[in-house]
Amino acid sequence: MKLTFLGTGTSQGIPVIGCNDKVCVSDDYRDKRLRSSVLIEWDNYACVIDCGPDFRQQMLAANVKDINGILFSHYHADHTAGLDDIRPFSQKNGQVPFYAQKQVIENLKERFDYIFTTKNKYLGAPNVQLHEIENRPLVIGNLQVIPVEVNHGKLKIFGFRFKNLAYITDAKTISKKELKKLLDLDVLVINALRIDTHPTHLNLKEALDIIDEVKPKKAYLTHISHKLGFHAEVSKILPENVYLAYDGLMLDV
Ligand SMILES: [Zn+2]
Ligand SMILES: [Zn+2]
């Protein structure tokens, strides 16, 4: 399996528009972060997790020719605002499969009504194939995907496990029961916003505590704010098997 980090930034990305913060003006390419998303490829399949406002740019940067579906962690705009840009894939294949919880599908139907309408649908609008998922395993192509329910403040959202790889974004807490799904991983990707605590996202210490509890062989941090610090400096203070992800980073898992 191959994982490509398409974006590793929090909701406003880095640099933040108009911000003179030291990280936002850094010229290290690893300090430039589009909104969080990953591409997961195996055999002849490719899926993305989330479809934020940078989706088009991310598909071009990673030279993605086709996808077999989009898995959604939750409905916040930084994970869904790029929906209109799935059109090249829906024109090619007729439909793009969406895998999402009921609450996400309902929210998307409200916000992107022109995509989901059946009456007088605009010819150029994307076409999607909805797969409502619950907290139990699903199959994409020939692969089992296990949702991992995490708490994003009061919102219950999904991370996903694919064999020995798991991707968790926008978590603040994870129940003991769901943490068990993160045991025996080769790679855990998990969000770490900044040093200070935040009401709905894990900070660095909280993310490291979870990593320490489930002990993956390697962990990569994502959904990063400019307040976390420079990639090069934060990397130096991390435990041996923990890394900051950056846009464009690829892993073979
Ligand atoms: Zn987010
Ligand atoms: Zn969110």
Side-chain angles (χ1 to χ4, degrees):
M1 232 175 341
K2 195 168 103 183
L3 169 81
T4 306
F5 287 94
L6 301 170
T8 56
T10 186
S11 57
Q12 295 193 41
I14 306 177
V16 171
I17 295 172
C19 183
N20 289 320
D21 175 279
K22 60 187 170 53
V23 174
C24 286
V25 298
S26 163
D27 52 18
D28 185 339
Y29 66 95
R30 296 168 304 174
D31 287 322
K32 300 187 190 310
R33 301 181 187 276
L34 299 176
R35 267 55 72 89
S36 290
S37 176
V38 285
L39 171 70
I40 296 178
E41 296 167 279
W42 70 97
D43 300 337
N44 291 320
Y45 297 94
C47 268
V48 294
I49 302 181
D50 293 331
C51 184
D54 301 314
F55 181 76
R56 174 178 174 275
Q57 195 181 340
Q58 291 167 329
M59 292 300 98
L60 292 172
N63 197 22
V64 179
K65 304 280 192 226
D66 206 354
I67 54 171
N68 299 90
I70 303 178
L71 287 151
F72 288 90
S73 62
H74 65 305
Y75 57 69
H76 286 160
D78 55 323
H79 301 263
T80 56
L83 275 201
D84 196 63
D85 286 321
I86 65 169
R87 284 182 294 162
F89 299 127
S90 82
Q91 281 163 6
K92 193 171 179 181
N93 300 321
Q95 288 179 321
V96 176
F98 277 16
Y99 300 86
Q101 293 188 77
K102 189 174 183 192
Q103 55 163 328
V104 175
I105 292 173
E106 280 173 359
N107 181 281
L108 294 179
K109 281 182 174 172
E110 246 172 61
R111 287 168 48 228
F112 297 89
D113 58 335
Y114 71 98
I115 295 179
F116 298 93
T117 187
T118 48
K119 283 185 205 146
N120 302 322
K121 185 167 173 173
Y122 176 61
L123 202 59
N127 288 313
V128 305
Q129 181 189 76
L130 292 177
H131 297 265
E132 187 181 312
I133 61 172
E134 290 174 6
N135 192 4
R136 54 169 178 254
L138 58 135
V139 174
I140 299 181
N142 57 357
L143 187 69
Q144 188 185 58
V145 181
I146 301 170
V148 181
E149 188 183 84
V150 304
N151 305 304
H152 181 23
K154 286 188 180 137
L155 203 59
K156 301 228 176 264
I157 70 168
F158 281 167
F160 300 98
R161 176 172 181 155
F162 311 77
K163 294 188 196 167
N164 291 334
L165 158 72
Y167 178 83
I168 307 285
T169 189
D170 292 63
K172 172 64 181 179
T173 58
I174 308 178
S175 71
K176 290 266 176 250
K177 184 169 156 257
E178 296 296 303
L179 273 180
K180 284 190 185 144
K181 296 180 184 171
L182 301 178
L183 295 171
D184 303 316
L185 286 170
D186 288 333
V187 171
L188 171 64
V189 180
I190 191 162
N191 58 294
L193 188 71
R194 61 188 191 192
I195 304 297
D196 292 342
T197 55
H198 185 276
T200 60
H201 296 90
L202 294 163
N203 69 358
L204 179 61
K205 182 180 181 304
E206 291 162 337
L208 292 176
D209 286 347
I210 289 175
I211 293 165
D212 196 44
E213 195 167 341
V214 299
K215 298 193 176 6
K217 288 193 181 123
K218 288 181 179 177
Y220 290 82
L221 304 177
T222 191
H223 208 282
I224 291 165
S225 152
H226 63 160
K227 292 179 183 157
L228 184 66
F230 291 110
H231 182 98
E233 288 183 9
V234 178
S235 295
K236 286 183 206 154
I237 61 163
L238 296 176
E240 208 174 21
N241 61 335
V242 182
Y243 309 87
L244 285 193
Y246 56 87
D247 293 16
L249 174 65
M250 278 188 233
L251 307 173
D252 280 309
V253 188

